[in-house]
Amino acid sequence: MGAMFFAVLAVAGQIERNYIREKTLECQVIAASKGNHGGRPKVIDDDMFTFAVALEDKGVPVPEIAKKLTIKVGKNAGKSPSVASLYRALAEAEADDDGLPLRPKPVRIRRPEDPLTPAEIDLRERLQAQPHPNTELR
């Protein structure tokens, strides 16, 4: 009797977990349609970055540049950004100039019933055309 009661509680918990996941995905899609993709806002905005690049081109050391910048929004408003944040922003801009991405592109949240994009269809066709790696070569 106790095992059956435990099994019923486990099933109820799994149903609740699936419901929470569905609602979370729905809310993420709604937020993404409004332009909110989550995460913290960037500390170094475009104006600060342009100023930092101009100072760096003049030969000013990065720690001194960081002291001259001021964060405009968020809980650290009025403070200077960290030297690491400035180095990271400069490195990202440098990587963009090379044409090589520094970070992977964010993925689109999709459900199984959503239609595939043309890129996804092309990828699926290319993968299906490849031989399976476990088949023997003759």
Side-chain angles (χ1 to χ4, degrees):
M1 192 68 151
M4 186 179 77
F5 182 69
F6 182 74
V8 169
L9 287 179
V11 169
Q14 186 64 36
I15 291 171
E16 181 69 18
R17 183 182 179 281
N18 290 342
Y19 176 74
I20 291 171
R21 177 162 169 71
E22 287 177 11
K23 295 303 286 182
T24 301
L25 289 175
E26 285 178 15
C27 291
Q28 285 176 347
V29 169
I30 291 170
S33 69
K34 293 179 182 177
N36 183 5
H37 297 284
R40 294 179 61 177
K42 292 196 174 197
V43 172
I44 299 175
D45 60 4
D46 293 336
D47 295 335
M48 290 170 61
F49 180 72
T50 305
F51 183 64
V53 169
L55 288 177
E56 186 185 35
D57 290 341
K58 290 182 181 179
V60 178
V62 175
E64 288 183 26
I65 296 173
K67 290 177 186 174
K68 292 181 182 184
L69 300 175
T70 305
I71 300 172
K72 296 175 186 168
V73 294
K75 69 176 187 177
N76 293 325
K79 297 179 182 177
S80 296
S82 70
V83 177
S85 295
L86 187 55
Y87 273 120
R88 190 178 314 111
L90 294 171
E92 285 178 3
E94 206 171 282
D96 288 343
D97 293 342
D98 297 340
L100 300 173
L102 186 63
R103 295 185 180 154
K105 289 189 219 176
V107 295
R108 176 175 66 97
I109 299 172
R110 68 180 287 286
R111 294 177 178 225
E113 63 268 8
D114 290 345
L116 297 176
T117 64
E120 291 169 337
I121 293 171
D122 180 51
L123 176 64
R124 181 180 61 187
E125 290 172 356
R126 285 187 291 134
L127 289 173
Q128 288 175 347
Q130 292 179 356
H132 194 277
N134 291 339
T135 58
E136 294 181 30
L137 298 176
R138 296 181 187 203

